[in-house]
């Protein structure tokens, strides 16, 4: 009986551990997205990175989402607050392309949701 309850406990613990991942399926690394962003125009993505709000694109309600030396631009949704500078955030949105004055053609994530990690 003792072996059975230990086995049941370990089995449940493994199931709970596997089911409680903080990284949702479909999450793309910033580095991977940066390398293939042009191929993903119109696709929905989930990306986790560090928010950098002190950029020239801040006037367009955009921020830099970075991981190491890699980054992608992300918009701030209407009626949403700017993410805190330097905190890790999860951005859910669609990859888009738009022409910005003085910046030229920019590929970015049109954010639907921004959450703290």
């Amino acid at each position: 009986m003792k072996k059975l309850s230990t086995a049941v406990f370990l089995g449940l613990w493994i199931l709970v551990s596997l089911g409680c991942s903080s990284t949702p399926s479909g999450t793309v690394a910033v580095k991977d997205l940066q390398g293939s962003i042009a191929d993903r125009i119109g696709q929905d993505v989930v990306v986790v990175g560090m928010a950098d709000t002190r950029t020239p694109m801040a006037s367009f309600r955009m921020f830099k989402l970075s991981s190491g030396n890699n980054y992608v631009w992300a918009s701030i949704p209407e009626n949403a607050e700017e993410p805190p500078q330097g905190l890790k955030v999860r951005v859910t949105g669609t990859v888009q392309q738009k022409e910005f004055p003085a910046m030229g053609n920019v590929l970015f994530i049109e954010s639907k949701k921004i959450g703290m990690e």
Side-chain angles (χ1 to χ4, degrees):
M1 184 68 177
K2 188 175 182 181
K3 288 181 182 181
L4 178 63
S5 31
T6 303
V8 169
F9 175 75
L10 287 175
L12 287 174
W13 179 76
I14 290 172
L15 287 174
V16 169
S17 296
L18 293 175
C20 294
S21 174
S22 66
T23 305
S25 63
T27 300
V28 179
V30 173
K31 182 179 182 179
D32 295 339
L33 182 60
Q34 185 183 35
S36 66
I37 194 164
D39 299 332
R40 294 179 181 252
I41 294 174
Q43 292 182 7
D44 290 335
V45 293
V46 177
V47 185
V48 176
M50 208 64 78
D52 182 3
T53 57
R54 297 178 190 144
T55 68
M57 296 293 279
S59 60
F60 299 109
R61 291 194 45 84
M62 295 182 74
F63 65 99
K64 198 183 277 189
L65 186 66
S66 61
S67 177
N69 293 327
N70 303 298
Y71 72 90
V72 294
W73 293 105
S75 66
I76 301 168
E78 291 292 322
N79 303 325
E81 293 183 24
E82 186 176 88
Q85 171 71 25
L87 287 185
K88 198 171 186 180
V89 295
R90 178 187 315 266
V91 175
T92 303
T94 307
V95 177
Q96 298 292 334
Q97 183 175 8
K98 187 175 177 182
E99 184 82 25
F100 289 96
M103 293 295 288
N105 217 8
V106 177
L107 295 164
F108 66 100
I109 302 169
E110 187 174 319
S111 304
K112 296 175 187 166
K113 181 180 171 188
I114 300 174
M116 302 307 146
E117 272 297 291

